[in-house]
Amino acid sequence: MAVDGSHLVQRQAPADATRAIHHGESFANETGTVMPPIFSTSTFAHGNAGGFDYTRSGNPNFRILERVLASVEHCNHATVFGSGVSAITAIVSGLSQGDLVICEENLYGCTVRLFEQVFAKFGVRTEWVDFTAPGACDILAARKPAMVWLESPTNPLLKVIDLKKVCAAAAAADVPVVVDNTFATALVQRPLQLGATLSLTSTTKYINGHSDALGGAVCTDDPSWHQKMVFAQKALGLQPSPFDCWLITRGIKTLPLRLKQQIANAAALAEHLAGHARVNWVRYPHRPDHPHRAVAMQQMNSGGAMVTIGVDASRDLAYQVCKALRWFTMAESLGGVESLICHPATMTHASVSTEVKTKLGISDGLIRLSVGCEDVSDLIDDLDQALGVLR
Ligand SMILES: *Cc1c(COP(=O)(O)O)cnc(C)c1O
């Protein structure tokens, strides 16, 4: 019988590849179904054994996915949402007017937009800090924020924050820490075990892995934060659809397999590009030339599958390189089996001011690769051909 891991403790605890494939109760036991059905219903008969009432506040497909996510994250609770942005909204809805959130300065663009253009209107204040700077944690004891918001590795520069160190400093000041773990996933790093209160993921990316659904999730071992997440799911209408949960439940089954191939491809591409005459620099967390390699080696069990490079090119030329690729689609998003390429200066960070871009190190020649599952020699061949634009 499929398990969520918890009742296997007398035997050996299942490994992540097993956890990702086996969900618990399918809520259709009399059929022996291997895959759960899609519970496409808005409401449930009162007094049912599963305790369901209305899909905004829970659905079997949510619960199945939540169990798999909690199992893979090795934690007690996961709550699913309609997107990563919904998951962020759910967490911030647990704060109050006047609360201060200290954020890593290099957060995902839509997270920044939410804080600055939405939550600020409701009195949630933010301060932005480079958490890789020496002494950055001192601000926590001094400012006593209501929350710390981190992301690691960051987008697009793949900065690696010392999560254990920041979480320890936050714990000493009694401040909850959120880690957006979308780029790494629980298979590469486990924020809760490094001391975070909440681990947030856009399941749209690696977890689903097939670029055909949006979703978000928050994992935690803290019962009161779990209650807040369950409340936000129903009270704010942040719930996903049963169908998307079903797709993501199907997707996560192959996450360990996909990620293994993507990581191997990314490491090989990074190595190849580091020796390429047209490439000025390569950023990849486990490479010896990564500025935060020691921390990356400690908290990530691999370098992940994102690679960022710098080429000596104007904005137009860098754009042309991206457009000249055959196997990399130029698109936002990441984590799918298909390789994607992003030119932040014209895409994800187009609306960011030149000063901020310069401060964050986002130059016109910066290119971000989400490495997929294709044959690596085809990817290398394709990049070599496209970089020929710069000759
Ligand atoms: C994509 C992404 C999000 C937002 O997720 P959506 O599912 O697109 O709403 C949040 N954080 C990071 C790091 C992301 O890459």
Side-chain angles (χ1 to χ4, degrees), residues 83-85 88 108 111 151 180 182-183 202 204-205 214-215 334:
S83 65
V85 162
I88 296 165
Y108 180 69
T111 310
E151 197 173 305
D180 185 332
T182 302
F183 272 43
S202 165
T204 309
K205 316 291 168 55
L214 272 85
L334 61 128

Side-chain angles (χ1 to χ4, degrees), residues 270-329:
E271 182 65 18
H272 176 77
L273 292 170
H276 196 288
R278 307 284 150 190
V279 175
N280 287 347
W281 52 264
V282 171
R283 200 48 100 70
Y284 182 68
H286 273 201
R287 281 186 62 78
D289 56 359
H290 191 287
H292 319 124
R293 179 182 197 247
V295 175
M297 294 300 285
Q298 241 170 31
Q299 74 188 21
M300 301 169 73
N301 64 19
S302 78
M306 300 296 296
V307 179
T308 299
I309 61 171
V311 295
D312 210 355
S314 64
R315 183 192 274 232
D316 279 356
L317 261 182
Y319 185 87
Q320 280 178 44
V321 169
C322 296
K323 272 301 196 191
L325 287 152
R326 179 179 181 196
W327 303 125
F328 289 81
T329 303

Side-chain angles (χ1 to χ4, degrees), residues 190-211:
R190 293 196 200 138
L192 300 179
Q193 283 172 18
L194 296 167
T197 318
L198 301 164
S199 172
L200 178 156
T201 310
S202 165
T203 54
T204 309
K205 316 291 168 55
Y206 288 102
I207 304 285
N208 182 48
H210 293 78
S211 310

Side-chain angles (χ1 to χ4, degrees), residues 44-84:
F44 301 82
H46 189 72
N48 63 80
F52 296 103
D53 48 44
Y54 187 64
T55 282
R56 180 154 35 74
S57 52
N59 176 288
N61 292 109
F62 301 4
R63 228 181 262 178
I64 290 164
L65 178 57
E66 286 170 348
R67 283 193 189 151
V68 181
L69 290 168
S71 180
V72 168
E73 193 95 20
H74 297 246
C75 72
N76 293 333
H77 310 288
T79 314
V80 292
F81 298 98
S83 65

